[in-house]
Amino acid sequence: MIDLLHTHFGDRIRFETPTGGMAIWVKFRLPVDYEDIEYRASLAGVALAERPEAWRKVAGIRLGFASLDKEELAVAVKVLADIC
């Protein structure tokens, strides 16, 4: 997940590498439209668990990865990077 985030988002995001868990909070360096991210992700078949209201509080998005295999994760991260 960490490598995918670096590869697809580059320096557009920042995050702390977790020592455990099943998700990463990714913070955007520039303002984003959370409703647009949610809408466009759904059109691309990427489901987002949290709602934009939760993301605004931390100026980021929580990316869960526990339920995805490597290929699904690669697709989801690329879709989100292309949207953001």
Side-chain angles (χ1 to χ4, degrees):
M1 177 70 159
I2 301 301
D3 290 340
L4 288 168
L5 291 172
H6 285 301
T7 298
H8 293 291
F9 281 93
D11 64 354
R12 295 180 293 151
I13 60 170
R14 63 191 192 313
F15 59 89
E16 292 184 27
T17 301
T19 57
M22 299 179 279
I24 297 173
W25 274 102
V26 172
K27 296 185 179 184
F28 299 101
R29 294 193 185 271
L30 298 174
V32 296
D33 181 336
Y34 294 105
E35 283 82 8
D36 186 56
I37 292 171
E38 180 184 42
Y39 175 72
R40 292 174 61 196
S42 70
L43 291 178
V46 175
L48 301 171
E50 266 104 21
R51 303 292 300 172
E53 298 80 31
W55 302 335
R56 276 191 207 90
K57 293 177 185 176
V58 297
I61 187 171
R62 183 175 174 264
L63 301 179
F65 52 85
S67 65
L68 304 175
D69 64 30
K70 289 180 182 181
E71 292 78 25
E72 292 168 328
L73 189 58
V75 169
V77 171
K78 181 170 182 350
V79 164
L80 289 174
D82 289 347
I83 290 170
C84 300

